Amino acid sequence: KIPETNFIDPIYHPHIDTDGFSCCYFEHHLPAENWKPLSSLGDIINAVIHAIDVFDDSSHFIRQDSIDVYQNHRQTFYDNAQRSTLTYGRPRY
């Protein structure tokens, strides 16, 4: 079964909804047959990183509002993302 992912802290991103869920992206781009009991944590982390780094299919965005800003007002999108990161982000240890 595809792993369920949830971001604890808010993230401003088209693939992540306001409650932190990103499952829609995984269901579309990472079919269940690719997930096996032997899939490593590294595989899951890489899939999450890919979901954050790639805006590739507008029909599968969870937050249409943020992709509209990304497509039409790129600097505003980056400003919103940075503000969200500075407000809610945690340092890496």
Side-chain angles (χ1 to χ4, degrees):
K1 180 178 175 184
I2 298 171
E4 292 182 16
T5 58
N6 187 12
F7 290 86
I8 296 170
D9 298 320
I11 181 172
Y12 183 78
H13 195 280
H15 288 306
I16 317 297
D17 72 13
T18 55
D19 292 330
F21 293 103
S22 61
C23 58
C24 177
Y25 180 86
F26 289 115
E27 290 172 2
H28 178 70
H29 292 282
L30 302 168
E33 60 268 12
N34 290 349
W35 293 103
K36 299 173 179 42
L38 295 178
S39 294
S40 71
L41 180 58
D43 294 335
I44 295 169
I45 291 170
N46 285 333
V48 170
I49 290 169
H50 181 74
I52 292 171
D53 285 348
V54 177
F55 299 178
D56 60 355
D57 186 351
S58 62
S59 66
H60 294 284
F61 291 121
I62 295 173
R63 292 188 60 194
Q64 193 62 43
D65 63 324
S66 66
I67 195 58
D68 290 342
V69 173
Y70 178 78
Q71 291 171 336
N72 299 311
H73 307 282
R74 189 75 47 104
Q75 188 58 51
T76 300
F77 176 87
Y78 291 134
D79 292 344
N80 292 344
Q82 182 177 29
R83 187 173 24 264
S84 177
T85 300
L86 293 173
T87 302
Y88 302 109
R90 299 180 201 199
R92 293 183 182 186
Y93 297 103

